[in-house]
Amino acid sequence: MTDIFRALADESRRELLDRLFADNGQTLSALCTDLAMSRQAVSKHLAVLEAANLVAVRRRGREKLHYLNPVPLAQIVRRWIGKFGDVRLQTLLDVAEERKPKRRRKPPAQSGAGSPSNS
Amino acid sequence: MTDIFRALADESRRELLDRLFADNGQTLSALCTDLAMSRQAVSKHLAVLEAANLVAVRRRGREKLHYLNPVPLAQIVRRWIGKFGDVRLQTLLDVAEERKPKRRRKPPAQSGAGSPSNS
DNA sequence: CAATTAGGCAACCATATGGTTGCATGTCAA
DNA sequence: TTGACATGCAACCATATGGTTGCCTAATTG
């Protein structure tokens, strides 16, 4: 848990995940392009992501290919976030709905159940 | 995003959320009971959670009541985590399933697709 | 009112974190 | 074989983080 959240708690690392999502299996130097930090910094970030199991690597000769691993994300959803509150089913179905907009259900009414809302 | 993930990236804070989930609207000192850290530490943690909008507060006299706010959790799911990969719909529906045990539920088999977890 | 209770503020400390630079190593290609 | 390219390692630095202690203020309550 902690590893995953810590890994995600950094904008640069989330961007790296985004990049891998857009184009999986990139090398370190490929991931460095257009980033405003040194290769070493990126390398460290990737190490953190790797330690959190959010990124898997494969070596090809002198290159290191990085692959996104979404499983831990799914895990924190189901094993941790999912447990909180009524929003749970609500929102999850909401997202599912959003995903396959086949049939319409009730408009997702965010009824403030327990706590004052804002955001 | 960052605030939320950072807030979640600490075991103590996650435990505080757990406690609020178990019993919402607790005061600071109530939340301190049986915790192995000083009141000040807890107070700081709550401040972080508050800043991340994961906890909302209400004052009652000299007391400060803390309420869990699950909305940001739902947001990071739908706005960030949800975007990654096929696991998305898969897992979300999976959780939803788990939620409403229509028929007999299988023993909660942790399908460990990825990594040995810790905590 | 006086004592107690709930919480806030500020300083301080050790360690973690994100970043840098410099150099070393491994691998591919001419 | 000799370089150029891809990555790794290590030291270093500034700041953030999690935690402590001490004291202060504001409500309650006897």
Side-chain angles (χ1 to χ4, degrees):
Chain A
M1 283 285 91
T2 303
D3 308 341
I4 301 175
F5 280 124
R6 288 204 81 87
L8 293 174
D10 184 278
E11 176 67 34
S12 307
R13 281 191 294 261
R14 289 199 303 273
E15 186 171 340
L16 286 173
L17 290 183
D18 279 338
R19 287 180 166 227
L20 286 181
F21 179 61
D23 182 11
N24 211 5
Q26 294 183 68
T27 69
L28 170 59
S29 17
L31 284 168
C32 284
T33 58
D34 294 322
L35 282 191
M37 55 183 143
S38 72
R39 180 177 54 84
Q40 302 302 332
V42 176
S43 180
K44 279 194 187 179
H45 282 308
L46 288 172
V48 172
L49 291 170
E50 212 177 317
N53 202 23
L54 286 161
V55 160
V57 297
R58 210 189 87 214
R59 305 208 86 115
R60 188 181 58 189
R62 59 180 164 179
E63 297 180 321
K64 191 179 186 183
L65 307 181
H66 298 79
Y67 297 89
L68 187 118
N69 176 25
V71 173
L73 294 176
Q75 285 185 341
I76 67 171
V77 171
R78 63 184 307 175
R79 294 170 54 180
W80 203 80
I81 297 179
K83 100 181 202 193
F84 285 99
D86 358 313
V87 261
R88 178 179 172 169
L89 184 62
Q90 198 85 5
T91 309
L92 294 182
L93 290 181
D94 196 5
V95 175
E97 195 77 330
E98 193 180 303
R99 189 62 191 141
K100 49 162 189 184
K102 272 236 165 181
R103 54 180 90 152
R104 285 282 218 126
R105 289 209 163 239
K106 306 173 192 173
Q110 278 289 10
S111 70
S115 52
S117 73
N118 38 25
S119 113
Chain B
M1 282 289 89
T2 302
D3 307 342
I4 302 175
F5 280 124
R6 288 203 79 88
L8 293 175
D10 185 279
E11 175 66 35
S12 306
R13 284 192 290 264
R14 289 200 302 274
E15 186 172 341
L16 286 173
L17 291 183
D18 278 338
R19 286 180 169 230
L20 286 181
F21 179 62
D23 182 11
N24 211 6
Q26 294 183 67
T27 68
L28 170 59
S29 17
L31 284 168
C32 284
T33 57
D34 294 323
L35 282 192
M37 57 183 142
S38 71
R39 181 175 54 84
Q40 302 303 330
V42 175
S43 181
K44 279 193 185 180
H45 282 309
L46 287 172
V48 172
L49 291 170
E50 213 177 317
N53 202 23
L54 285 161
V55 160
V57 298
R58 212 188 87 213
R59 306 207 84 116
R60 187 180 58 188
R62 61 179 163 178
E63 296 180 322
K64 192 178 186 184
L65 306 181
H66 299 79
Y67 296 89
L68 187 116
N69 177 23
V71 173
L73 293 176
Q75 285 184 341
I76 67 171
V77 172
R78 63 185 307 175
R79 295 170 51 181
W80 203 82
I81 297 179
K83 101 181 200 190
F84 285 99
D86 2 309
V87 262
R88 177 178 172 169
L89 184 62
Q90 195 83 6
T91 309
L92 294 182
L93 289 181
D94 196 5
V95 175
E97 194 76 329
E98 195 180 304
R99 187 55 188 151
K100 47 167 187 181
K102 273 191 172 178
R103 288 174 161 252
R104 61 197 177 93
R105 59 164 75 186
K106 307 168 189 175
Q110 282 296 9
S111 74
S115 58
S117 66
N118 32 35
S119 135

